[in-house]
Each structure stands twice: as structure tokens, then as C-alpha cells.
Amino acid sequence: MSDLSFDVVIIGSGIAGSALGAILARQGLRVALFEAKSHPRFAIGESLILETSELMRAMADLFDVPELAYFSSENFFPFAGTSHGVKRHFGFLHHTAGQPHDPRRTLQAVIPKEPHGHELHLYRQDTDYFLLSTAVAYGATVYQNTAVQDIHLQPDHVTIIPAKGEPVTARYVVDAGGYRSILADKFQARHTDLQTHSRGLFTHMVGVPGFEATAVSPRDYGLPYAMAEGTLHHVFDGGWLWVIPFNNHPEATNPLCSVGLMLDPRQFPPRDDLTPEEEFFEFIARYPAIQAQLGRGRAVRDWVRAGRIQYSSRQVVGDRWALLGHAVGFIDPLYSKGLYTSLTAVFITAHLLLQAQITGDYSAQAFAPLERVTQEFVCTADRLVANSYKSFKNYRLWQVYAVQWLLGAYTELVRLDMMRARCGGDRAAYFQHLISLKLAGGGFAEFAAIADRVDGLIEAVDPADETAVTQTVAAINDLYAQVPWIASPFRDVLKGKTYLPKNKIRLELLRPGRGFMGQGAYRQHFFGEMSLIDVLAYGLREKIRFARPLIARRHRRLHRPTG
């Protein structure tokens, strides 16, 4: 190959593009990444979820790129860096305009510390730059400040025409360029026919206190963790607001806090008569508890005001090309599913490209699993978020619909955990399991059936009709009551409890048939032939493997000084 000929060209060097570049370069492919701007740079998508963290660990193992696990938990702080925050929970406070917050309208979904450690709030300018540097270290060629002007697709290769410099050729091109995807535009694939409607205002701030420091009666909450120790969502009729601190642990070196307001533009049209900052502060003044927490915050960068952020694509793959991550679509950051969606696509794309390198088949048909899984993830996220926005209009609806989100995330995580446990180092077997997932529910048919019925009830109800809401809540509770594999902490939320337990290891979880492994179709789907002893032994091995001393030892072994 010439210096301008590659196996794969990747357009865009965010987390998805850089992770894919690092994997392919590590596996010996000639890779080029084109980036229209340069690193480090501002980006949102800062809150990890357990599914994303577990997928990072699987990718690190199965593609032999240990750096991909560096952002999967707090135990990697010595190598990931302390500019990131810690995430010990997903917190929600439901507000009514003009009223102080009612502590009973709280949900703190505590994240288990065992076996891997708590998760992170990612300071994206550092994570993205690190992963791009990792790709370069493994041999990728990077063209920063080099926009792609056009892409010519031929039967046996593709030609990339940059805005400056010489054209390059490749066997395959992956567009990870986000909303402004050149291939989505080229094939007129972009559409906005989606259920969710939201627009955004966001920035980074200093001077944001923890919620408890400004609450009228902080002792009334009685939560396992301070809200500042996780991702806080203020939710209300017509939207929600995130608070993601990076300075919330003893090792923190970053004083910033990410703050963003998402609004349904049909209910709250953009205020073009105000600056983004003025619009933000004018809006939060409607909610006393939000105003108390954020009213004195100071932005350290220009505010971003985005119009409706939802979009998708009619086509994801073609002969010798694919869209990746946010080049396909984006819904809303409400449940932090974006990175999980993107990294799932990275895994699938990398596996298929490594197969194509052997077979020579770069056709759309060969990459069909990427098309199907990506579209299913987008559709699942769209329905979940749209119905969440609707449920915010009436707290009783949100209380029962939140359990659907919890249940979908939990079963997805169990499936991911057990996939790695059951497949060991067999990447092909893991891939086959991965392409059966749909973002929530772990590919379990019984979950999909229950979720569809709950979604249908939410979509049919008028949140302003209290009689109809009462009937809908009763119907959803009846559906949940018929499901034997719903964990008891989720049932407690339905009864009014405002948090999940901090201690996830309880004797009741080990009871045969009634513990966390369940029985029948549920147990077979998620655990296969694994016994309780097998699962506990796997968890213990993971705890030891991902303890800080063991992580440090592996890091020293991989990065011994040379020369």
C-alpha cells in the first residue's frame, strides 16, 4: 500500500471514531482518521451508565486494547486522570412550577460499587483526546483540522477527497462525523420522523453547590448518597435539567460542573429575544429549588443553544461504507444511552471489518447486523424518552414509568455481564449475543412484551385527566405484579420508596428460584448453564482483577520504560 492508501478511513475522532481507530490499528489494519477540527475540544455526553462501562471492559478484553477500559470506573483514576467526576447514582427530582421541591418526589437509583467500582462523569475533552492519542499510538494516521469534502465510492475501493491535501483511498469508509455526516447528506438519509421533541441549552459552570446545600429541608430526603455524588436530573412538565459535577470526589482536580436544560419546543419555543444565558436563568426561576441550586452558577464557556436535537437516518450501511454513532442519529441525553449506543456500534463495526479484511466482502449485506442493531437502539431510545417526557407531566405516571427504565437498564446490564462471563475470550460468540440486544431489556422477549404494553398505556393516557391517570397507574401496577422476575427494590419504588439500596449484596438475592438469578425462561436467557456458584466466583474474580493494585500492576507491565 502507498502512504495514501488505507484499509479503513474513519471520518470524525470523537469517542466512537477514536475507539474504532484504536481497535483496528491494534489489530494490524492501516487506519486513517479525518477530523475537521482539533483536540482537545468541548463535547457533551458526559455521564456513563453501567451498560457502557461493561461494554468498555468487554471491548478492552476482546480487541486487546486495555486503554478502552480506563474510563469504566473510578478504580482507573490514576490512569484515566482526575479531571473526571465520580458517579454513584442516577438521581431524579420531580418539580412543580412555583413550589418547593417535595422530597417524596425523588428517585435515587444507586449504582453498585461491586465488583468494578463506581462509574465516571467524563470530562470529554480529555477522554476524546486520550482515545485519539491511543489510536495514534497503535499506528493510526490522523489528519486534524482536515475536513472531508467528498467521498467517491467505487466497486473495489473508496476515495476520500479532503478540503486540503491529497486524496486518499481505502477499502472501507466509516462516517463518525455526527449530525453533519457527509455520507448521510450524500445519500439523503437524514430524517426527523421521531416521537421525541426537545431542544437544549448547555454549558460548563463553576460555583454550583450540591443540591442538599440549598435544599429547604435536606434531612427529609434520607438518601444513601448526596445528589452531588452522581448525575442529577431535575425533571418537570415539559423537560428536564442535568447537573453533572466533575469536582465531586476527594481526588478531583477539575472545578467544573456540566449543566444543561432540555425543553420540548412545542411547549417552550426558543426565546430568540433572549441570549441563551438569559433564557436559562429566566426559565429556572420558575422552580424555587432549581433556582436555589443554580442561580449563582457562572458559565466558564459560551452557552450553546441547540434547536430540536432529534434526528435519525433511513440507511446506516451501504457497499463499502457505514455511519457510526451520532452520524446515524441522536435522541436525547435523558438516560445517557448515547455512548452505549455508539460503543455498541463500534464493537459491531470493528468485528465486521476484521471479518471483511479476511473475506474481502465489504458489501451492505455483510454489514447488515450494524444496520439492524443501530436502528433498533434508536427506536427504543426514542420511545423511552418520548414517554418519559409525557410521564413528567404527572408525577404518578413518572413513578411507575421510571420502573420501566430501571427494569430495562438492569436486565440489559445483567445480559452484558453474563455475556462476558459465558463467552470468555470468544469474540465471535460475544458478537452473536451483542447483536440480539435492543438497548433495554437484554434481548429478553418477556421484557419486550411488558414494555410494549406499558408504553401503549402511557401513550394513550391524558396526563391532565386524574381519573384516567389513576386507571393507567393501576393497570401498569397490575402488569408489573404479574412479572415474577422484577427485583424487590423496583417493587419498593412502586410503593413510594425514593431510592434503591446502597448495599446490593443481600442474602435474599441468593435464594434458589427467588433470588437474582430467577428461574425458568428468565434464568436460561440471562445465565444459561451457569450455577449460582459460577456467578459468584465470576464476580469475585472481577473484583480482584479490577481492584486498584491489580490495575496498577497491569499498567506497569504494559508501560515499562524503554530505551
PDB file of all heavy atoms in Angstrom, residues 391-409:
ATOM      1  N   SER A 391     -44.601  11.340  30.857  1.00  0.00           N
ATOM      2  CA  SER A 391     -44.856  10.983  32.253  1.00  0.00           C
ATOM      3  C   SER A 391     -44.455  12.099  33.212  1.00  0.00           C
ATOM      4  O   SER A 391     -44.998  12.193  34.318  1.00  0.00           O
ATOM      5  CB  SER A 391     -44.121   9.684  32.605  1.00  0.00           C
ATOM      6  OG  SER A 391     -42.732   9.888  32.765  1.00  0.00           O
ATOM      7  N   PHE A 392     -43.497  12.963  32.821  1.00  0.00           N
ATOM      8  CA  PHE A 392     -43.106  14.072  33.688  1.00  0.00           C
ATOM      9  C   PHE A 392     -44.278  15.016  33.974  1.00  0.00           C
ATOM     10  O   PHE A 392     -44.240  15.783  34.930  1.00  0.00           O
ATOM     11  CB  PHE A 392     -41.973  14.880  33.053  1.00  0.00           C
ATOM     12  CG  PHE A 392     -40.660  14.148  32.913  1.00  0.00           C
ATOM     13  CD1 PHE A 392     -39.685  14.627  32.045  1.00  0.00           C
ATOM     14  CD2 PHE A 392     -40.382  12.998  33.640  1.00  0.00           C
ATOM     15  CE1 PHE A 392     -38.473  13.982  31.896  1.00  0.00           C
ATOM     16  CE2 PHE A 392     -39.163  12.339  33.506  1.00  0.00           C
ATOM     17  CZ  PHE A 392     -38.214  12.836  32.627  1.00  0.00           C
ATOM     18  N   LYS A 393     -45.301  14.980  33.130  1.00  0.00           N
ATOM     19  CA  LYS A 393     -46.443  15.873  33.296  1.00  0.00           C
ATOM     20  C   LYS A 393     -47.294  15.524  34.511  1.00  0.00           C
ATOM     21  O   LYS A 393     -48.097  16.341  34.980  1.00  0.00           O
ATOM     22  CB  LYS A 393     -47.306  15.860  32.027  1.00  0.00           C
ATOM     23  CG  LYS A 393     -46.615  16.425  30.794  1.00  0.00           C
ATOM     24  CD  LYS A 393     -47.510  16.348  29.569  1.00  0.00           C
ATOM     25  CE  LYS A 393     -46.820  16.943  28.351  1.00  0.00           C
ATOM     26  NZ  LYS A 393     -46.524  18.394  28.522  1.00  0.00           N
ATOM     27  N   ASN A 394     -47.138  14.308  35.011  1.00  0.00           N
ATOM     28  CA  ASN A 394     -47.912  13.877  36.174  1.00  0.00           C
ATOM     29  C   ASN A 394     -47.038  12.932  36.986  1.00  0.00           C
ATOM     30  O   ASN A 394     -46.672  11.854  36.501  1.00  0.00           O
ATOM     31  CB  ASN A 394     -49.202  13.180  35.736  1.00  0.00           C
ATOM     32  CG  ASN A 394     -50.149  12.898  36.875  1.00  0.00           C
ATOM     33  OD1 ASN A 394     -49.793  12.273  37.866  1.00  0.00           O
ATOM     34  ND2 ASN A 394     -51.403  13.352  36.744  1.00  0.00           N
ATOM     35  N   TYR A 395     -46.708  13.312  38.202  1.00  0.00           N
ATOM     36  CA  TYR A 395     -45.739  12.534  38.963  1.00  0.00           C
ATOM     37  C   TYR A 395     -46.149  11.076  39.116  1.00  0.00           C
ATOM     38  O   TYR A 395     -45.305  10.180  39.101  1.00  0.00           O
ATOM     39  CB  TYR A 395     -45.510  13.137  40.355  1.00  0.00           C
ATOM     40  CG  TYR A 395     -44.578  12.290  41.164  1.00  0.00           C
ATOM     41  CD1 TYR A 395     -43.214  12.239  40.859  1.00  0.00           C
ATOM     42  CD2 TYR A 395     -45.049  11.478  42.200  1.00  0.00           C
ATOM     43  CE1 TYR A 395     -42.353  11.428  41.573  1.00  0.00           C
ATOM     44  CE2 TYR A 395     -44.190  10.660  42.914  1.00  0.00           C
ATOM     45  CZ  TYR A 395     -42.843  10.633  42.600  1.00  0.00           C
ATOM     46  OH  TYR A 395     -41.985   9.819  43.289  1.00  0.00           O
ATOM     47  N   ARG A 396     -47.436  10.805  39.242  1.00  0.00           N
ATOM     48  CA  ARG A 396     -47.870   9.404  39.419  1.00  0.00           C
ATOM     49  C   ARG A 396     -47.512   8.563  38.190  1.00  0.00           C
ATOM     50  O   ARG A 396     -47.172   7.378  38.319  1.00  0.00           O
ATOM     51  CB  ARG A 396     -49.371   9.359  39.707  1.00  0.00           C
ATOM     52  CG  ARG A 396     -49.731   9.946  41.078  1.00  0.00           C
ATOM     53  CD  ARG A 396     -51.155   9.606  41.447  1.00  0.00           C
ATOM     54  NE  ARG A 396     -52.112  10.243  40.555  1.00  0.00           N
ATOM     55  CZ  ARG A 396     -53.314   9.745  40.264  1.00  0.00           C
ATOM     56  NH1 ARG A 396     -53.701   8.576  40.769  1.00  0.00           N
ATOM     57  NH2 ARG A 396     -54.136  10.401  39.465  1.00  0.00           N
ATOM     58  N   LEU A 397     -47.569   9.164  37.010  1.00  0.00           N
ATOM     59  CA  LEU A 397     -47.152   8.446  35.805  1.00  0.00           C
ATOM     60  C   LEU A 397     -45.642   8.226  35.804  1.00  0.00           C
ATOM     61  O   LEU A 397     -45.153   7.147  35.452  1.00  0.00           O
ATOM     62  CB  LEU A 397     -47.580   9.212  34.560  1.00  0.00           C
ATOM     63  CG  LEU A 397     -49.070   9.291  34.270  1.00  0.00           C
ATOM     64  CD1 LEU A 397     -49.324  10.188  33.055  1.00  0.00           C
ATOM     65  CD2 LEU A 397     -49.661   7.900  34.031  1.00  0.00           C
ATOM     66  N   TRP A 398     -44.896   9.243  36.193  1.00  0.00           N
ATOM     67  CA  TRP A 398     -43.435   9.125  36.215  1.00  0.00           C
ATOM     68  C   TRP A 398     -42.996   8.054  37.209  1.00  0.00           C
ATOM     69  O   TRP A 398     -42.075   7.274  36.949  1.00  0.00           O
ATOM     70  CB  TRP A 398     -42.811  10.472  36.558  1.00  0.00           C
ATOM     71  CG  TRP A 398     -41.392  10.419  37.047  1.00  0.00           C
ATOM     72  CD1 TRP A 398     -40.915  10.880  38.231  1.00  0.00           C
ATOM     73  CD2 TRP A 398     -40.256   9.861  36.374  1.00  0.00           C
ATOM     74  NE1 TRP A 398     -39.564  10.645  38.347  1.00  0.00           N
ATOM     75  CE2 TRP A 398     -39.132  10.025  37.211  1.00  0.00           C
ATOM     76  CE3 TRP A 398     -40.077   9.231  35.141  1.00  0.00           C
ATOM     77  CZ2 TRP A 398     -37.863   9.589  36.865  1.00  0.00           C
ATOM     78  CZ3 TRP A 398     -38.795   8.784  34.794  1.00  0.00           C
ATOM     79  CH2 TRP A 398     -37.706   8.970  35.637  1.00  0.00           C
ATOM     80  N   GLN A 399     -43.676   7.960  38.352  1.00  0.00           N
ATOM     81  CA  GLN A 399     -43.291   6.981  39.364  1.00  0.00           C
ATOM     82  C   GLN A 399     -43.361   5.555  38.820  1.00  0.00           C
ATOM     83  O   GLN A 399     -42.471   4.741  39.097  1.00  0.00           O
ATOM     84  CB  GLN A 399     -44.194   7.119  40.593  1.00  0.00           C
ATOM     85  CG  GLN A 399     -43.778   6.205  41.738  1.00  0.00           C
ATOM     86  CD  GLN A 399     -44.676   6.358  42.952  1.00  0.00           C
ATOM     87  OE1 GLN A 399     -45.800   6.827  42.857  1.00  0.00           O
ATOM     88  NE2 GLN A 399     -44.184   5.972  44.113  1.00  0.00           N
ATOM     89  N   VAL A 400     -44.391   5.239  38.040  1.00  0.00           N
ATOM     90  CA  VAL A 400     -44.485   3.875  37.505  1.00  0.00           C
ATOM     91  C   VAL A 400     -43.650   3.710  36.239  1.00  0.00           C
ATOM     92  O   VAL A 400     -43.090   2.627  36.001  1.00  0.00           O
ATOM     93  CB  VAL A 400     -45.955   3.474  37.227  1.00  0.00           C
ATOM     94  CG1 VAL A 400     -46.720   3.363  38.526  1.00  0.00           C
ATOM     95  CG2 VAL A 400     -46.647   4.436  36.273  1.00  0.00           C
ATOM     96  N   TYR A 401     -43.535   4.781  35.432  1.00  0.00           N
ATOM     97  CA  TYR A 401     -42.759   4.631  34.196  1.00  0.00           C
ATOM     98  C   TYR A 401     -41.260   4.555  34.493  1.00  0.00           C
ATOM     99  O   TYR A 401     -40.504   3.906  33.760  1.00  0.00           O
ATOM    100  CB  TYR A 401     -43.050   5.764  33.215  1.00  0.00           C
ATOM    101  CG  TYR A 401     -42.577   5.429  31.821  1.00  0.00           C
ATOM    102  CD1 TYR A 401     -43.197   4.423  31.083  1.00  0.00           C
ATOM    103  CD2 TYR A 401     -41.488   6.084  31.253  1.00  0.00           C
ATOM    104  CE1 TYR A 401     -42.751   4.084  29.811  1.00  0.00           C
ATOM    105  CE2 TYR A 401     -41.038   5.744  29.988  1.00  0.00           C
ATOM    106  CZ  TYR A 401     -41.673   4.743  29.269  1.00  0.00           C
ATOM    107  OH  TYR A 401     -41.223   4.392  28.016  1.00  0.00           O
ATOM    108  N   ALA A 402     -40.823   5.198  35.579  1.00  0.00           N
ATOM    109  CA  ALA A 402     -39.412   5.106  35.961  1.00  0.00           C
ATOM    110  C   ALA A 402     -38.996   3.659  36.188  1.00  0.00           C
ATOM    111  O   ALA A 402     -37.852   3.283  35.933  1.00  0.00           O
ATOM    112  CB  ALA A 402     -39.154   5.934  37.220  1.00  0.00           C
ATOM    113  N   VAL A 403     -39.924   2.829  36.659  1.00  0.00           N
ATOM    114  CA  VAL A 403     -39.602   1.417  36.889  1.00  0.00           C
ATOM    115  C   VAL A 403     -39.344   0.702  35.572  1.00  0.00           C
ATOM    116  O   VAL A 403     -38.500  -0.196  35.500  1.00  0.00           O
ATOM    117  CB  VAL A 403     -40.723   0.744  37.701  1.00  0.00           C
ATOM    118  CG1 VAL A 403     -40.521  -0.765  37.780  1.00  0.00           C
ATOM    119  CG2 VAL A 403     -40.780   1.338  39.105  1.00  0.00           C
ATOM    120  N   GLN A 404     -40.029   1.109  34.508  1.00  0.00           N
ATOM    121  CA  GLN A 404     -39.723   0.507  33.204  1.00  0.00           C
ATOM    122  C   GLN A 404     -38.298   0.830  32.779  1.00  0.00           C
ATOM    123  O   GLN A 404     -37.577  -0.033  32.270  1.00  0.00           O
ATOM    124  CB  GLN A 404     -40.704   1.003  32.135  1.00  0.00           C
ATOM    125  CG  GLN A 404     -40.306   0.554  30.734  1.00  0.00           C
ATOM    126  CD  GLN A 404     -41.485   0.198  29.879  1.00  0.00           C
ATOM    127  OE1 GLN A 404     -42.390  -0.511  30.304  1.00  0.00           O
ATOM    128  NE2 GLN A 404     -41.486   0.696  28.654  1.00  0.00           N
ATOM    129  N   TRP A 405     -37.888   2.094  32.985  1.00  0.00           N
ATOM    130  CA  TRP A 405     -36.498   2.446  32.673  1.00  0.00           C
ATOM    131  C   TRP A 405     -35.536   1.623  33.525  1.00  0.00           C
ATOM    132  O   TRP A 405     -34.561   1.051  33.014  1.00  0.00           O
ATOM    133  CB  TRP A 405     -36.264   3.943  32.910  1.00  0.00           C
ATOM    134  CG  TRP A 405     -34.818   4.266  33.090  1.00  0.00           C
ATOM    135  CD1 TRP A 405     -33.828   4.153  32.158  1.00  0.00           C
ATOM    136  CD2 TRP A 405     -34.180   4.699  34.297  1.00  0.00           C
ATOM    137  NE1 TRP A 405     -32.600   4.496  32.718  1.00  0.00           N
ATOM    138  CE2 TRP A 405     -32.801   4.835  34.019  1.00  0.00           C
ATOM    139  CE3 TRP A 405     -34.645   5.004  35.587  1.00  0.00           C
ATOM    140  CZ2 TRP A 405     -31.885   5.258  34.986  1.00  0.00           C
ATOM    141  CZ3 TRP A 405     -33.729   5.426  36.541  1.00  0.00           C
ATOM    142  CH2 TRP A 405     -32.372   5.545  36.244  1.00  0.00           C
ATOM    143  N   LEU A 406     -35.791   1.556  34.834  1.00  0.00           N
ATOM    144  CA  LEU A 406     -34.911   0.793  35.717  1.00  0.00           C
ATOM    145  C   LEU A 406     -34.825  -0.663  35.299  1.00  0.00           C
ATOM    146  O   LEU A 406     -33.741  -1.249  35.237  1.00  0.00           O
ATOM    147  CB  LEU A 406     -35.432   0.881  37.156  1.00  0.00           C
ATOM    148  CG  LEU A 406     -35.256   2.204  37.897  1.00  0.00           C
ATOM    149  CD1 LEU A 406     -36.077   2.196  39.186  1.00  0.00           C
ATOM    150  CD2 LEU A 406     -33.788   2.453  38.199  1.00  0.00           C
ATOM    151  N   LEU A 407     -35.973  -1.263  35.011  1.00  0.00           N
ATOM    152  CA  LEU A 407     -36.011  -2.675  34.662  1.00  0.00           C
ATOM    153  C   LEU A 407     -35.291  -2.940  33.344  1.00  0.00           C
ATOM    154  O   LEU A 407     -34.541  -3.921  33.212  1.00  0.00           O
ATOM    155  CB  LEU A 407     -37.464  -3.130  34.574  1.00  0.00           C
ATOM    156  CG  LEU A 407     -37.728  -4.633  34.469  1.00  0.00           C
ATOM    157  CD1 LEU A 407     -37.158  -5.363  35.661  1.00  0.00           C
ATOM    158  CD2 LEU A 407     -39.231  -4.894  34.347  1.00  0.00           C
ATOM    159  N   GLY A 408     -35.482  -2.063  32.369  1.00  0.00           N
ATOM    160  CA  GLY A 408     -34.804  -2.232  31.085  1.00  0.00           C
ATOM    161  C   GLY A 408     -33.303  -2.103  31.204  1.00  0.00           C
ATOM    162  O   GLY A 408     -32.539  -2.866  30.590  1.00  0.00           O
ATOM    163  N   ALA A 409     -32.838  -1.129  32.018  1.00  0.00           N
ATOM    164  CA  ALA A 409     -31.398  -0.932  32.198  1.00  0.00           C
ATOM    165  C   ALA A 409     -30.782  -2.096  32.973  1.00  0.00           C
ATOM    166  O   ALA A 409     -29.693  -2.582  32.640  1.00  0.00           O
ATOM    167  CB  ALA A 409     -31.146   0.388  32.926  1.00  0.00           C
TER     168      ALA A 409
END
